[in-house]
Amino acid sequence: MESKLVIYNTLTRQKERFEPLHAPNVGMYVCGPTVYGDPHLGHARPAITFDLVFRYLKHLGYKVRYVRNITDVGHLEHDADEGEDKIAKKARLEQLEPMEIAQYYTNRYHQYMDMLNVLRPSIEPHATGHIIEQQQLVQQILDNGFAYESNGSIYFDIEAYNKQYKYGILSGRSLENIKDASRDNLDGVGEKRNQADFALWKKAQPEHIMRWPSPWSDGFPGWHCECTAMGRKYLGEEFDIHGGGMDLIFPHHECEIAQAQASMGHPAVKYWMHNNMLTINGQKMGKSYNNFITLEQFFTGNHPLLEKAYSPMTIRFFVLSAHYRGTVDFSNEALQAAEKGYEKLMNAIVDIERIAISSQCDAETEKVVKNLRQKCYDAMNDDLATPQVISNLFEACTTINKLVDHKATICADCLKELKEVMNLFAFDILGLKADSAGSNDAREEAFGKVVDMVLDLRAKAKANKDWATSDQIRDELAAAGFEVKDTKDGVTWKLNK
């Protein structure tokens, strides 16, 4: 299978043709959420980005095993090697078991991802379910001389690693720069040989709730271990894509690369893909910054920064309206523009059903329809350029409006192609659907049937020369916001919003 898909590889800092290691099989691992709070817009972006990758690879005919983890242990405050486990801290504050917290917020995460029409991954492993695999990883790194024990904790020895390999290849940071930055961080003083070293296994302090027995101490794995261990377990020693947000490039993904190389002697991942951040006033949106807006708040409008509620599909359209590697800054204006764009696309797809078939297409319509599929594929194959896909679909929307208004003509074959392409890219690949605010759901269909029935009554009144009833129906529809047009090919209507 020859792929025309080109993706940006963070590791090589360039676009590369996507060529799987074992086509048609593709292995993809994406860092999932740390489940200690409600999902926010920052969680939505990577979920939607890699849902898009998952959908498109499957559409191209690949058999994709998509692994997205749940972090339910080991992620300490401030992403450092000291401090309290984020889930354990939440459990202590709410006087619950840590697993109650993890389960509750995992359920909430699933609930809101479903609303965003994000497909479930093939496998969703939990860090707590793979403690043995993480201990095995740590032991391999110890055996190979790239880690050391200190007071019951195991640390990765970056100096030893750097003599044989190179730490910092993903982020582009030199070891000296990493050391300099680490000197300001006093965490682990007295335990680490070097402040840049990171924890593979942490000895649990007496107050630490989440702990497991190990050859070194009762403790818990370092945050970086879980993805290396679970990626290898489910995707093999080498796999195609590892994804996540750009905020994970350093230290998380950098440490993953080092762990894989130190344990196996070779890299695990061929393509590293990273989506950019969602920001508020230029600052990353996140729980640790206390500037986040949860998805529930977006869907209800219950937040001081929100002018109104926004539907799940508006949020999805908003995310897809920007290229996944570009930053997106939150604003009500941007969300309202996304809402209008989404409605425009959904309305046009509904209106396809109202287009009259002609014996032939006019030249402009034929050109738009015959080029639409390839233009959308070209955009997707160029590093998943969703803004260009949406632009192409909007061009088709303009043509659809002309056809509905009888300002253009289309033949049966072209109409079939137009409908197929619009549905394929809007629904199957971009993953949009008609949500409760959309025009394409069952209520909209029923709504349209009622209007058509009223217009049929008007047509019968006209046929009977009952001009008074005909005019009354037209005037009352106009008063309700409907624009009714009598054309040589019949009656058309639309609702003016």
Side-chain angles (χ1 to χ4, degrees):
M1 182 188 299
E2 183 182 354
S3 172
K4 294 182 179 179
L5 173 62
V6 172
I7 57 176
Y8 184 85
N9 189 348
T10 309
L11 186 64
T12 59
R13 293 167 183 75
Q14 63 184 10
K15 290 181 183 179
E16 298 178 3
R17 185 173 298 282
F18 179 67
E19 295 176 339
L21 294 163
H22 306 289
N25 299 301
V26 172
M28 180 169 75
Y29 188 100
V30 176
C31 290
T34 302
V35 282
Y36 69 104
D38 266 347
H40 55 68
L41 194 59
H43 292 118
R45 192 168 197 197
I48 291 169
T49 296
F50 292 100
D51 182 60
L52 176 78
V53 177
F54 186 33
R55 287 171 180 271
Y56 193 55
L57 288 174
K58 288 200 299 179
H59 171 70
L60 293 178
Y62 293 111
K63 184 180 179 182
V64 186
R65 179 177 290 171
Y66 174 19
V67 181
R68 186 186 67 206
N69 68 296
I70 295 290
T71 298
D72 53 2
V73 68
H75 196 166
L76 305 186
E77 295 177 285
H78 315 301
D79 299 346
D81 284 339
E82 296 296 323
E84 199 169 358
D85 184 292
K86 293 182 177 184
I87 291 168
K89 180 180 179 180
K90 184 83 169 180
R92 178 174 56 79
L93 293 173
E94 297 195 12
Q95 296 184 309
L96 295 169
E97 277 288 326
M99 284 299 101
E100 284 184 273
I101 294 294
Q103 187 65 58
Y104 176 78
Y105 287 112
T106 298
N107 293 346
R108 297 277 285 179
Y109 179 78
H110 288 153
Q111 175 188 345
Y112 288 105
M113 292 306 109
D114 289 347
M115 292 171 75
L116 290 169
N117 204 26
V118 170
L119 300 175
R120 298 286 178 98
S122 315
I123 303 172
E124 191 174 55
H126 291 232
T128 53
H130 297 78
I131 299 298
I132 292 172
E133 289 85 354
Q134 292 176 78
Q135 290 179 353
Q136 290 170 338
L137 172 69
V138 174
Q139 189 63 57
Q140 286 176 323
I141 296 172
L142 271 169
D143 292 345
N144 291 342
F146 298 112
Y148 57 90
E149 182 176 353
S150 179
N151 297 330
S153 293
I154 309 295
Y155 290 98
F156 191 93
D157 191 337
I158 288 182
E159 285 275 16
Y161 178 82
N162 213 51
K163 287 175 184 174
Q164 187 167 340
Y165 303 109
K166 186 178 186 305
Y167 184 79
I169 58 172
L170 187 67
S171 61
R173 303 185 187 198
S174 70
L175 183 57
E176 288 309 311
N177 288 340
I178 294 165
K179 282 178 170 179
D180 289 343
S182 299
R183 286 192 185 105
D184 298 328
N185 179 5
L186 299 179
D187 287 342
V189 167
E191 284 195 355
K192 298 181 182 182
R193 293 177 185 172
N194 188 310
Q195 282 311 108
D197 294 347
F198 59 90
L200 298 173
W201 183 266
K202 286 290 290 181
K203 180 180 179 180
Q205 297 304 310
E207 68 276 6
H208 202 98
I209 309 171
M210 302 178 81
R211 59 174 67 213
W212 290 263
S214 81
W216 318 290
S217 63
D218 277 6
F220 54 92
W223 173 38
H224 311 303
C225 288
E226 62 179 280
C227 294
T228 304
M230 295 191 295
R232 184 166 67 183
K233 180 178 177 70
Y234 295 111
L235 298 174
E237 289 196 354
E238 293 179 280
F239 56 92
D240 299 297
I241 297 172
H242 194 315
M246 284 182 73
D247 57 328
L248 297 177
I249 292 175
F250 187 88
H252 188 48
H253 289 165
E254 198 74 80
C255 294
E256 280 195 61
I257 288 175
Q259 289 171 161
Q261 190 89 48
S263 62
M264 300 185 296
H266 60 79
V269 179
K270 186 173 182 181
Y271 304 97
W272 285 88
M273 295 181 71
H274 293 91
N275 63 275
N276 213 320
M277 296 296 97
L278 279 160
T279 57
I280 293 184
N281 299 322
Q283 185 182 43
K284 176 194 166 185
M285 180 183 291
K287 294 190 187 80
S288 54
Y289 296 96
N290 203 31
N291 68 347
F292 63 94
I293 305 173
T294 68
L295 292 173
E296 181 179 47
Q297 288 168 328
F298 273 105
F299 301 161
T300 61
N302 185 24
H303 191 282
L305 289 176
L306 297 174
E307 293 177 4
K308 54 177 288 188
Y310 297 98
S311 74
M313 284 303 103
T314 295
I315 298 298
R316 187 174 179 107
F317 192 90
F318 171 65
V319 170
L320 293 171
S321 295
H323 191 271
Y324 76 91
R325 288 193 292 114
T327 55
V328 177
D329 199 51
F330 158 82
S331 70
N332 281 282
E333 292 76 17
L335 280 167
Q336 285 162 25
E339 186 174 60
K340 287 187 173 67
Y342 165 70
E343 288 180 354
K344 174 182 177 180
L345 183 56
M346 292 297 106
N347 287 336
I349 291 172
V350 169
D351 284 345
I352 291 174
E353 302 300 330
R354 297 169 51 207
I355 293 173
I357 297 172
S358 297
S359 57
Q360 62 182 22
C361 298
D362 64 83
E364 184 183 349
T365 299
E366 186 173 23
K367 180 181 177 183
V368 169
V369 173
K370 289 196 170 177
N371 291 332
L372 181 59
R373 187 186 294 264
Q374 192 58 51
K375 285 169 71 174
C376 288
Y377 275 128
D378 289 345
M380 285 298 296
N381 287 335
D382 183 14
D383 196 29
L384 310 167
T386 53
Q388 187 56 51
V389 174
I390 291 170
S391 176
N392 295 335
L393 297 179
F394 278 171
E395 182 183 0
C397 291
T398 301
T399 297
I400 290 167
N401 290 337
K402 288 180 181 176
L403 290 164
V404 169
D405 290 339
H406 303 287
K407 294 176 180 175
T409 57
I410 190 168
C411 67
D413 287 345
C414 282
L415 182 59
K416 181 174 180 284
E417 170 70 1
L418 178 61
K419 182 176 180 179
E420 282 182 4
V421 176
M422 294 295 284
N423 283 316
L424 170 64
F425 283 94
F427 300 135
D428 297 348
I429 293 174
L430 294 184
L432 297 168
K433 65 176 183 178
D435 62 18
S436 57
S439 305
N440 193 29
D441 59 12
R443 283 177 293 177
E444 179 69 20
E445 185 179 350
F447 178 77
K449 287 179 179 177
V450 171
V451 176
D452 288 339
M453 181 180 69
V454 172
L455 289 174
D456 282 343
L457 292 174
R458 178 172 175 263
K460 288 176 183 175
K462 287 179 71 175
N464 294 330
K465 298 185 179 181
D466 183 356
W467 309 119
T469 300
S470 169
D471 291 345
Q472 181 185 3
I473 292 173
R474 183 198 60 206
D475 293 345
E476 290 189 9
L477 283 171
F482 293 91
E483 182 180 332
V484 177
K485 287 184 181 178
D486 291 301
T487 73
K488 61 183 177 65
D489 296 312
V491 181
T492 65
W493 64 268
K494 66 178 179 179
L495 178 60
N496 295 318
K497 296 187 178 180

